[in-house]
Amino acid sequence: HLPSLAQQGASAPALAMLRSDTQNKMAQSRVAQYLSQKSRELNSRVLSALATRVTSDPFVKVKKMIKDLLVRLMEEANEEAEHKGWCDSELSTNEQTRKEKTEAVETLHAEID
């Protein structure tokens, strides 16, 4: 039955199975084959429908959302880097201007004295 099939995969490390898409797809196809076989043996439409649903990847939307989020974060990081570069150049320009103006003021004070 199905519980014994699910227990067979429990001996493998759970984290490694989650990371490997090929192992997940192989397990999904084994489950789908098992359900299809049992649906034919039992003449069950419910098991047949379940077998077709098992073959679809339930995490497609989640994976797409994660990829979109990563793209957006990379774009934001690039924008922040560009903005930081602009800020750094403005700060250095302003510091240079401030030094020049301070020297000019000190020179004028020295001339007055």
Side-chain angles (χ1 to χ4, degrees):
H1 293 344
L2 186 58
S4 65
L5 180 65
Q7 289 175 356
Q8 288 175 357
S11 62
L15 188 59
M17 282 194 77
L18 287 176
R19 289 185 179 171
S20 173
D21 283 339
T22 57
Q23 286 181 345
N24 284 340
K25 289 182 182 185
M26 287 175 36
Q28 280 179 331
S29 68
R30 284 188 14 227
V31 169
Q33 287 175 347
Y34 178 80
L35 290 174
S36 294
Q37 177 188 357
K38 288 299 178 181
S39 71
R40 284 190 298 272
E41 288 175 9
L42 300 173
N43 197 20
S44 171
R45 291 182 185 169
V46 175
L47 284 179
S48 178
L50 183 60
T52 57
R53 283 193 83 183
V54 165
T55 57
S56 65
D57 187 5
F59 298 107
V60 170
K61 289 182 182 178
V62 175
K63 289 177 185 177
K64 183 183 180 316
M65 286 173 38
I66 290 172
K67 287 179 183 177
D68 291 344
L69 179 63
L70 287 174
V71 167
R72 192 176 80 210
L73 288 173
M74 294 295 283
E75 289 172 352
E76 286 179 8
N78 287 337
E79 289 173 6
E80 287 178 9
E82 289 175 9
H83 186 70
K84 184 184 181 317
W86 178 82
C87 287
D88 289 344
S89 67
E90 287 295 313
L91 282 174
S92 66
T93 302
N94 290 342
E95 183 180 5
Q96 183 65 30
T97 304
R98 190 171 52 248
K99 283 181 184 178
E100 291 171 359
K101 300 285 183 183
T102 303
E103 289 175 5
V105 167
E106 289 175 355
T107 304
L108 290 173
H109 282 298
E111 288 177 5
I112 291 174
D113 293 336

